[in-house]
Amino acid sequence: MARRLISPCQGSGLLNAGFLGVFSSHHYHRLPLSSSHRSSQLKNCYLPNLRKEVSHWTRPATPSLSLYSARLASKRTTCSVATEPPPSTTEEPEMDLPKEIFLKEYKKPDYLFDSVNLEFQLGEDKTIVTSKIAVSPGTEGTSSPLTLHGRDLKLLSIKVNGKDLKVSEDYMVDSRHLTVSRPPGGTFNLEIVTEIYPQLNTSLEGLYKSTGNFCTQCEAEGFRKITYFQDRPDVMATYTCRIEADKTLYPVLLSNGNLIEQGDLEGGKHYALWEDPFKKPSYLFALVAGQLDCREDSFTTCSGRKVTLRIWTPGQDLAKTAHAMYSLKAAMKWDEEVFGLEYDLDLFNIVVVPDFNMGAMENKSLNIFQSRLVLASPETATDGDYAAILGVVGHEYFHNWTGNRVTCRDWFQLTLKEGLTVFRDQEFSSDLGCRTVKRIADVSKLRTYQFPQDAGPMAHPIRPHSWTIFIPGAEVVRMYKTMFGASGFRKGMDLYFQRHDGQAVTCEDFYAAIQEVPPTPGQPVKEPMFIPIAVGLVDSTGKDMPLTSIYSDGMLQSLTSDGQPVFTTVLQFNKKEEEFIFNNIPEKPVPSLLRGYSAPVRLDSDLTESDLFFLLANDSDEFNRWEAGQVLSRKLMLSLVADFQQQKTLALNPKFVDGLRSILRNTSLDKEFIAKAITLPGQGEIMDMMPVADPDAVHAVRTFIKKELALQLKDDLLSTVTNNRSSEAYTFNHDSMARRALKNTCLAYLASLNEPDTTELAFIEYKSATNMTEQFAALAALSQNPGQVRDDTLLDFYNKWQHDYLVVSKWFALQATSDIPGNVANVQKLLGHPAFDMRNPNKVYSLIGGFCGSPVNFHAKDGSGYKFLGEVVLQLDKINPQVASRMVSAFSRWRRYDESRQALAKAQLEMIVSANGLSENVYEIASKSLAA
């Protein structure tokens, strides 16, 4: 018997656009899918926010201004952060509105930089930077002025071919640029000397000091705060870097590439000379100087070359770098085995700094990491920390090829390096752990962070037409692999590196390389673009039906593999309407749609509640098994929210309880999968499905369901906690992590009851824990309920760990994210805690960012959450605009709420954008949010 699946697809723009560029503001598609048996809708092809934090990571950006925001902007002046004033020749305009930049405006640089020699004289009060650049014309015979970027710099001198230039006559300088009016024809040498003040640079961009050490962060536009330069990714050059500093204060001097020479100088100083033989853009430049110790190891590449590996950190933290070193070596081995990519230098350095805006940075051969993504011990780091370190160390190492050796031509192509590298680190973590669990975690992040953004004023395609905050396109890269198969994708990657090594390229260049691979069997013609929907059909016994052939678009295609039937096939959606007829289907199946989340779409279907419970119990695709439970949970929560709003009595569907009970009791399932399967969708995910978000109702319903499940499943939850205790020493492997994850999830359910026996159980788990994963989970379980036990345990935890700043950040975050009533007052109090430092991004993300993650408190009816954030943003903006812009983005979807909340949030946004001295970073987010 044949079964038919029909998909009408509205809009055909997908067929004509380059694959990595199709999801522009004009190419968000709704894809209804229907059949005589099932219908579903695939909505909005989204891309994940997986980050440089990997995540959550703000690029300097330039806004388009509404008339309203432009009027407000006329009242403000620009702000330069924490540096001495520029020289008298620089005029700071009263108002410097940012100009939106468009992809269509891209033009090649008029001049190329062939080599860059940098000299740093690091001092306590100031640093002198000398840059010597070999310049050549971008096009033969050009006579254009040479325009260089620069911010917060004091220009000491500028020479062309050894001749001093005169201001006004030979060059002009303003707050953003230095322009050489009439450069000589042909190649020439440019020498610029600037004075900068790293010790005052709290923006943590360019060269700054962190806990007494010098450090840099140049992506995306930090290099222009070091010296005047063509600070754009398509200007690639070889670099040397000579560093001079006091030997006692700064015994370690590091930069990109290989150490060529080092020695002592007069006056207690010393120097180091570094050379990077590979061309790179300025955003990959790095320098570190300070008092650091290192863990050293080595890795022998597949060609037999020995690479020295060093992780640098303050001496007291050296013991906590073992897992990061393991992760680095694992990543190097995996990249050779999976992609055939070998490391290309004899030295690889990682440096740990506590003050860093991003999670980590892939500077060539000198990666710089925020402390929490390197430092770990069983006593101070959770399983989540260990997993994050594995993934991010891998991510930054993988950038050596996808981002460094081949970089992006401009920031509109950022998905080319970030999306591709995020995909690679996801595959790396999946291969070293549990693929299904990793996929669930990645999709959960996609829904939690990216879907809401794409529904708000900061929405953008993966390759935007104007420069906006970037979200990497790992999901689109994953569709490439689905399109072309693992073998074809690898061949395309090989061709990409062969063709573009040492170049700054575009998304189209990548697509062209992938597209040129030979056809895969059964697919003689490569489709220019389609949305791949993986599908299986499940019979009445819960078994996958064998799929032998499918009829579509006038062609009958065999689905066998080596003569054997397949059980999952990928349907290609590339027309306004698609019909797929499955042959030899003996009974009406239950379709398992979008297996493995094969495309980043939202799926609505007419699968019945019975179908979903059937898939929850039987689907062989564990992702879809989890997804069936999530769909049931979302429908249940939305139904109960409606009841709550109508003041009806809340009641839990017994079938839902039974479904979770069966999952909890199923010993054949992976324990971490069970933990995720019994976890309810987040409050934000449910609010995103409502016409008007109601944080109070959603919080009340989720709390009700959690407690009701805990009550009805209490015996199963108790036995699960008991059966998953272990006295063995901590190990970082999937089985151990899965055991802890399941135990901790069950403990959280039980503690939510706030009964004496469950509270005592959680307290015993807290006291007896021998690792941070279990101790912190027990603390979090106890912290759900306000009262003396909560307060005493939080105080005990702080007293124990007050000398470990990373653990203290967890303590801040736990209290900040709490849903206990009126938590804003507690968070305000914590701002004055001696362990909190507004200059440390990690502390800010933990406390202020954490508070914004509690919808019921941030969106409090009285506006107290909004008022708190508005005041903090203005305070933070004067210290670190990039971090402040991330905080203000919590306001971006203010129109999703009721009129009263809208008015309160709008008032704070208006207050922010009208403030004098506001940074561009914060102004962009706030003004776009207001204009939405």
Side-chain angles (χ1 to χ4, degrees), residues 3-11 14 29-43 530-533 535 550-553 571-582 593 601 603-604:
R3 297 287 169 175
R4 182 169 297 178
L5 202 59
I6 303 175
S7 162
C9 175
Q10 301 174 12
L14 289 171
H29 296 279
R30 295 172 59 87
L31 295 157
L33 171 74
S34 64
S35 74
S36 56
H37 303 300
R38 305 282 178 251
S39 69
S40 58
Q41 287 188 335
L42 309 175
K43 299 193 294 187
F530 69 82
I531 295 178
I533 306 298
V535 174
I550 184 172
Y551 183 82
S552 175
D553 200 23
L571 305 181
Q572 303 178 18
F573 288 82
N574 51 21
K575 293 182 180 179
K576 289 187 176 181
E577 181 170 305
E578 296 280 357
E579 181 180 70
F580 302 92
I581 301 175
F582 292 86
L593 303 170
V601 297
L603 177 68
D604 289 338

Side-chain angles (χ1 to χ4, degrees), residues 265-291:
L265 299 170
E266 294 180 355
K269 294 185 177 183
H270 69 141
Y271 76 95
L273 178 63
W274 293 83
E275 179 184 53
D276 187 353
F278 294 97
K279 285 188 173 184
K280 66 172 178 281
S282 55
Y283 81 85
L284 290 173
F285 171 78
L287 178 153
V288 172
Q291 298 188 21

Side-chain angles (χ1 to χ4, degrees), residues 365-390:
S365 76
L366 181 55
N367 288 184
I368 299 177
F369 276 67
Q370 212 273 3
S371 303
R372 68 182 180 84
L373 291 171
V374 171
L375 303 180
S377 70
E379 297 77 23
T380 61
T382 65
D383 287 340
D385 296 327
Y386 272 82
I389 290 168
L390 178 74

Side-chain angles (χ1 to χ4, degrees), residues 43 139 219 292 314 456 553 578 635 745 891 909:
K43 299 193 294 187
T139 56
E219 188 178 2
L292 301 165
D553 200 23
E578 296 280 357
K635 289 184 175 181
T745 300
F891 282 119
L909 285 168

Side-chain angles (χ1 to χ4, degrees), residues 43 56 160 169 210 262-263 289 291 300 313 347 397 512 553 616 688 690 836 862:
K43 299 193 294 187
H56 307 332
V160 169
E169 182 178 335
S210 171
Q262 60 183 333
Q291 298 188 21
T300 302
T313 188
L347 175 65
Y397 172 76
D553 200 23
L616 175 64
D688 285 338
M690 301 175 64
F836 182 75
D862 62 0

